[in-house]
Amino acid sequence: MDHRSALNNIEETVLTFQTWNMPWKFESYISNQLQNENALMLFKNIWKIAADYKNWSKYDLCTGEMITLNLLKERFDLTENACKRIIKAVTYEWR
């Protein structure tokens, strides 16, 4: 699976998560759904960058969200919708 295929797989999987009343399950849900090792490793890297302390520690949540959105879009070429869902799950860890 090439990089673009792995990203497409991640985006499709991210969009299937519906349990927003339990956002802490997002990361494990996505990890368990990804069958391809390349996609799983790429998602773990995306999650690591999205949850990076530097994005969130010095700012309010809105600023942290914008910083993280820009990072994900630039580094991974993810769709904005997928980025926002990842960020939505990450913000619960920072509240």
Side-chain angles (χ1 to χ4, degrees), residues 13-62:
T13 305
V14 162
L15 296 177
T16 66
F17 183 79
Q18 299 297 319
T19 318
W20 289 110
N21 61 324
M22 295 182 281
W24 57 89
K25 292 188 174 197
F26 180 86
E27 181 186 9
S28 63
Y29 171 83
I30 302 303
S31 295
N32 290 329
Q33 295 298 311
L34 294 172
Q35 301 297 314
N36 180 276
E37 187 66 29
N38 290 340
L40 179 59
M41 294 302 289
L42 182 56
F43 174 71
K44 289 186 180 293
N45 193 22
I46 291 167
W47 186 261
K48 180 180 176 184
I49 289 172
D52 191 328
Y53 178 80
K54 292 180 285 186
N55 301 348
W56 303 96
S57 63
K58 298 177 186 170
Y59 313 102
D60 61 34
L61 281 178
C62 291

Side-chain angles (χ1 to χ4, degrees), residues 65-76 83 87:
E65 288 174 4
M66 288 307 301
I67 290 168
T68 306
L69 177 64
N70 290 331
L71 279 171
L72 295 180
K73 286 171 64 178
E74 289 172 13
R75 290 190 185 179
F76 299 104
C83 289
I87 292 166

Side-chain angles (χ1 to χ4, degrees), residues 72-86:
L72 295 180
K73 286 171 64 178
E74 289 172 13
R75 290 190 185 179
F76 299 104
D77 194 30
L78 287 165
T79 64
E80 189 161 332
N81 193 14
C83 289
K84 286 183 176 183
R85 286 178 180 235
I86 292 166

